Amino acid sequence: MTTTDPLFGMLLALGGSSGQVNPLIQLVPFALVLAIFYFVILLPTRNRQKKVEAFLAALKVGDKVVTSGGIFGSIAKIGDDAVQLQIAPNVRVDISRAAIVGYQGQAPVVDAPNT
């Protein structure tokens, strides 16, 4: 126990400072965490959402698209929230506009939701 006594005393001396720390300095780590969170998570998510909204707004009749379920088809009719997709001759299905993830033959614009 005698070998740990000087070490213990030194640790007490280092940790037990009697001076107060400025409250603004205590907020610096918190502000750094918020800044990292913003630049790593929020900013890319916002940019991706704007890209998806622009893609969905630019859809027009005749575009060949892919849905999140993997259905390939051509847009026959566009509504406010729904799109009529022709998947075969004389076969049309109504799907949500948000279910369209990209154009055929191109990388998906929208990441498919993990369900």
Side-chain angles (χ1 to χ4, degrees), residues 8 17 21 23 28 34 61-63 65 73 83 86 88 93-94 101 105 110:
F8 184 69
S17 63
V21 178
V28 169
L34 285 178
V61 174
D63 285 346
V65 295
V83 172
Q86 183 169 350
V93 292
D94 290 334
V101 295
V110 181

Side-chain angles (χ1 to χ4, degrees), residues 60-64 74-76:
K60 59 187 181 297
V61 174
D63 285 346
K64 295 184 181 290
S74 176
I75 296 177

Side-chain angles (χ1 to χ4, degrees), residues 63-74:
D63 285 346
K64 295 184 181 290
V65 295
V66 180
T67 67
S68 60
I71 298 174
F72 289 78
S74 176

Side-chain angles (χ1 to χ4, degrees), residues 85-104:
L85 198 65
Q86 183 169 350
I87 56 175
N90 297 325
V91 179
R92 295 182 178 187
V93 292
D94 290 334
I95 61 168
S96 170
R97 184 183 283 248
I100 297 175
V101 295
Y103 294 111
Q104 289 182 20

Side-chain angles (χ1 to χ4, degrees), residues 19-104:
Q20 273 189 327
V21 178
N22 187 353
L24 293 177
I25 298 210
Q26 290 178 343
L27 292 177
V28 169
F30 182 68
L32 286 174
V33 168
L34 285 178
I36 291 170
F37 181 76
Y38 177 78
F39 286 111
V40 171
I41 296 175
L42 293 180
L43 195 60
T45 303
R46 185 177 298 154
N47 291 340
R48 186 178 310 120
Q49 184 64 30
K50 286 181 183 180
K51 183 178 175 183
V52 169
E53 288 173 3
F55 164 73
L56 292 176
L59 290 175
K60 59 187 181 297
V61 174
D63 285 346
K64 295 184 181 290
V65 295
V66 180
T67 67
S68 60
I71 298 174
F72 289 78
S74 176
I75 296 177
K77 183 176 156 186
I78 297 179
D80 290 336
D81 294 330
V83 172
Q84 194 173 67
L85 198 65
Q86 183 169 350
I87 56 175
N90 297 325
V91 179
R92 295 182 178 187
V93 292
D94 290 334
I95 61 168
S96 170
R97 184 183 283 248
I100 297 175
V101 295
Y103 294 111
Q104 289 182 20

